[in-house]
Amino acid sequence: MTESWISTNSYCPNCGNSKLCVFNNNRPVADFYCHTCKEEYELKSNKGELRHKIIDGAYESMIKRISSTTNPNLFLLTYDVRILSVVILLIIPKQFFIPSIIEKRNPLSMSARRAGWIGCYINIKNVPILGRIYIIKNSTVVNQKDVLRRWKQTTFLNNVSFEARGWTLEILSCIDKLRKTDFDLDELYKFEPDLKKKFPNNNFIKDKIRQQLQILRDKGILKFVSKGKYRNLRNGNI
């Protein structure tokens, strides 16, 4: 029912095309595609509240998938089964998929048919706020122009390397953790130990932080206020 609902009621958040096409059932990952811009989408749905950890397939396969050019965008849909109504429709663009949002599940027990198999979760709490785009929130439809605008803000990440994209998204996550609109450089420098763990081969973490702030400023996501001080122009909450 949820797949039928998407094909009938949703639109392409990349180009605004008013209808998404359904892939054949034997498609390995994606469920929908846009006939106009060729973007692909996967759908995961559940009744009740939005879950922050979404069960997915094999961990190793997922890690390989997100570093490829074939990873689809992800629709997350929740519904109220009592009244058959969509409560939340959230889209996570494919450029926000990096290893830090994928968590390993415990291996299956030795008595299981696939003993030792390791699955994964998609942890949407680890996705920067900028990458959590609501189409429907609390049963209210978000203005389509706002959805398309938010989508376009980060499409530049599709044109950079996987490693460079990872840096930008990690810095966005650090900014989200500050939970404030205005912040200064020293506050971000406090994340240096955490970033060093994620990028152990980089010995110039502070330089990299400043570089990423420059990129985010140039893309209109941050505003340079004064020396060492910035303003988050896209602050919000999931």
Side-chain angles (χ1 to χ4, degrees):
M1 290 180 67
T2 55
E3 287 189 3
S4 176
W5 188 93
I6 288 287
S7 64
T8 303
N9 296 281
S10 194
Y11 56 88
C12 176
N14 180 58
C15 71
N17 185 25
S18 61
K19 186 173 178 60
L20 293 175
C21 302
V22 182
F23 274 119
N24 295 329
N25 290 333
N26 60 356
R27 186 75 176 181
V29 177
D31 300 304
F32 306 93
Y33 67 97
C34 175
H35 186 267
T36 302
C37 69
K38 310 306 179 186
E39 282 288 331
E40 298 184 1
Y41 301 90
E42 180 184 11
L43 171 65
K44 291 188 178 295
S45 56
N46 66 272
K47 63 181 179 181
E49 296 182 355
L50 179 66
R51 298 170 184 169
H52 290 297
K53 287 189 177 184
I54 312 299
I55 296 176
D56 209 276
Y59 175 78
E60 293 296 336
S61 298
M62 186 62 169
I63 293 298
K64 290 179 181 178
R65 183 180 120 191
I66 64 176
S67 61
S68 72
T69 58
T70 58
N71 191 45
N73 307 285
L74 179 62
F75 278 124
L76 298 175
L77 183 152
T78 69
Y79 56 91
D80 187 334
V81 70
R82 297 168 302 177
I83 56 175
L84 295 180
S85 175
V86 172
V87 179
I88 287 176
L89 180 59
L90 176 71
I91 181 78
I92 299 177
K94 60 188 178 185
Q95 60 266 29
F96 283 87
F97 280 79
I98 57 175
S100 63
I101 76 168
I102 309 300
E103 294 185 5
K104 282 185 180 180
R105 298 172 64 190
N106 292 328
L108 294 183
S109 67
M110 297 309 295
S111 61
R113 184 169 58 86
R114 293 186 294 169
W117 183 85
I118 301 175
C120 70
Y121 295 105
I122 301 170
N123 190 339
I124 63 173
K125 275 192 171 183
N126 292 338
V127 177
I129 290 172
L130 204 62
R132 294 176 253 172
I133 304 174
Y134 283 97
I135 297 175
I136 297 174
K137 186 174 185 180
N138 298 328
S139 300
T140 301
V141 177
V142 177
N143 184 283
Q144 183 174 338
K145 289 183 179 179
D146 290 337
V147 173
L148 297 177
R149 176 181 55 79
R150 285 199 61 186
W151 181 278
K152 293 298 182 185
Q153 286 173 354
T154 60
T155 52
F156 73 92
L157 292 169
N158 289 320
N159 300 318
V160 300
S161 69
F162 190 64
E163 181 182 2
R165 180 170 21 126
W167 265 105
T168 303
L169 297 183
E170 291 295 350
I171 295 302
L172 279 171
S173 292
C174 291
I175 294 171
D176 288 345
K177 290 173 184 176
L178 294 176
R179 295 183 177 275
K180 56 199 302 187
T181 300
D182 291 341
F183 63 93
D184 59 49
L185 194 54
D186 288 338
E187 289 178 289
L188 276 190
Y189 282 164
K190 292 178 181 178
F191 292 101
E192 184 178 6
D194 294 333
L195 292 168
K196 182 62 178 176
K197 290 178 182 178
K198 293 179 178 180
F199 302 97
N201 296 324
N202 191 299
N203 296 317
F204 304 96
I205 302 296
K206 289 182 178 178
D207 292 343
K208 202 69 178 178
I209 290 173
R210 292 194 298 272
Q211 177 201 58
Q212 294 303 312
L213 292 176
Q214 176 78 35
I215 291 172
L216 294 173
R217 186 199 71 174
D218 292 346
K219 298 301 179 181
I221 296 168
L222 300 179
K223 178 181 179 180
F224 176 74
V225 178
S226 61
K227 186 176 181 180
K229 297 186 181 298
Y230 298 83
R231 178 166 297 146
N232 185 359
L233 299 179
R234 308 300 174 196
N235 205 9
N237 296 293
I238 188 169

